[in-house]
Amino acid sequence: MRDAAPVSTPPRVLPPNDPRQYDDLAGEWWRPDGAFAMLHWLARARAAMVPPASRPGALLVDLGCGAGLLAPHLAGKGYRHVGVDITRSALDQAAAHGVTVVNADATAVPLVDGCADVVSAGEVLEHVPQWRRVVAEACRLLRPGGLLVLDTLNDTVLARLVAVEISERLPTVPRGIHDPRLFVDARELVAECARHGVGLRLRGIRPELPGTLSWLFRRMRGRIVGRPVGTDGSREPRIVPTRSTAVLYQGCGRRSG
Ligand SMILES: C[S@@+](CC[C@H](N)C(=O)[O-])C[C@H]1O[C@@H](n2cnc3c(N)ncnc32)[C@H](O)[C@@H]1O
């Protein structure tokens, strides 16, 4: 009998937004030139909305924390960083970066009402079919006066074009990571937060253009010479405010009471 020829396994093709994609991409989270590079830039911009803790033992709950990319940007601010996510492989990495992890769905978080000084929901609402339930949980977890910070993609034709049709063709955004049917209408988000006692203010954001083009060029060159961008001392692109919330936007607001 002849030996069976080795069969190469094709990369599995998963439906858009299937959470198993995060397991397949587990090695990408902390690579500065990897598929999740832009999440690092967004985490820095999100952390900039978080002030230093106002009391000892303050808690920041990070919904859909992934591999804990927010952690380095919170260093020195005085929070205990608790991360909630459904992806175990990402949580293992978050824990290795000092995050206290909770393997749970952001629509049903096993933490008590009012426990959080800050709740962060970065790049997660647009991945959850019941994003309103995540908002309800975020607001429930906040203590009166607590701060909600988030960023997400708007439910617009332009967002579909930019975030899916264009960005997912770039080497820096995984193909199929988004399901544009889940994108979050900005006005509905503000209304939903208000219903739960949080007055959310929004602003549009985008990566700075010259910095991003230069980063893409350095990334390409780094791959050729075997010195990945981000390990060469160069700075990563900044996320900057933009007038329109039509694609990517940040939100920030305090819970009343
Ligand atoms: C685009 S990543 C963002 C990760 C992180 N917030 C960041 O900005 O680096 C989306 C994350 O949301 C998580 N996620 C998706 N649906 C979720 C749900 N229903 N509950 C909790 N986490 C969820 C995924 O596992 C993934 O880690």
Side-chain angles (χ1 to χ4, degrees), residues 10-92:
R12 63 176 168 169
V13 178
L14 294 167
N17 193 50
D18 189 311
R20 288 173 295 175
Q21 292 182 50
Y22 296 103
D23 292 323
D24 293 353
L25 294 165
E28 296 293 308
W29 283 108
W30 284 94
R31 281 187 43 208
D33 67 338
F36 293 135
M38 192 169 155
L39 290 180
H40 289 257
W41 318 341
L42 287 162
R44 179 189 294 277
R46 192 178 318 122
M49 296 191 285
V50 178
S54 58
R55 64 183 185 96
L59 200 75
L60 181 147
V61 178
D62 186 357
L63 299 177
C65 66
L69 305 190
L70 197 58
H73 307 293
L74 296 175
K77 292 199 178 189
Y79 293 95
R80 179 167 175 213
H81 184 181
V82 174
V84 178
D85 205 288
I86 48 168
T87 303
R88 187 73 252 178
S89 58
L91 288 178
D92 290 344

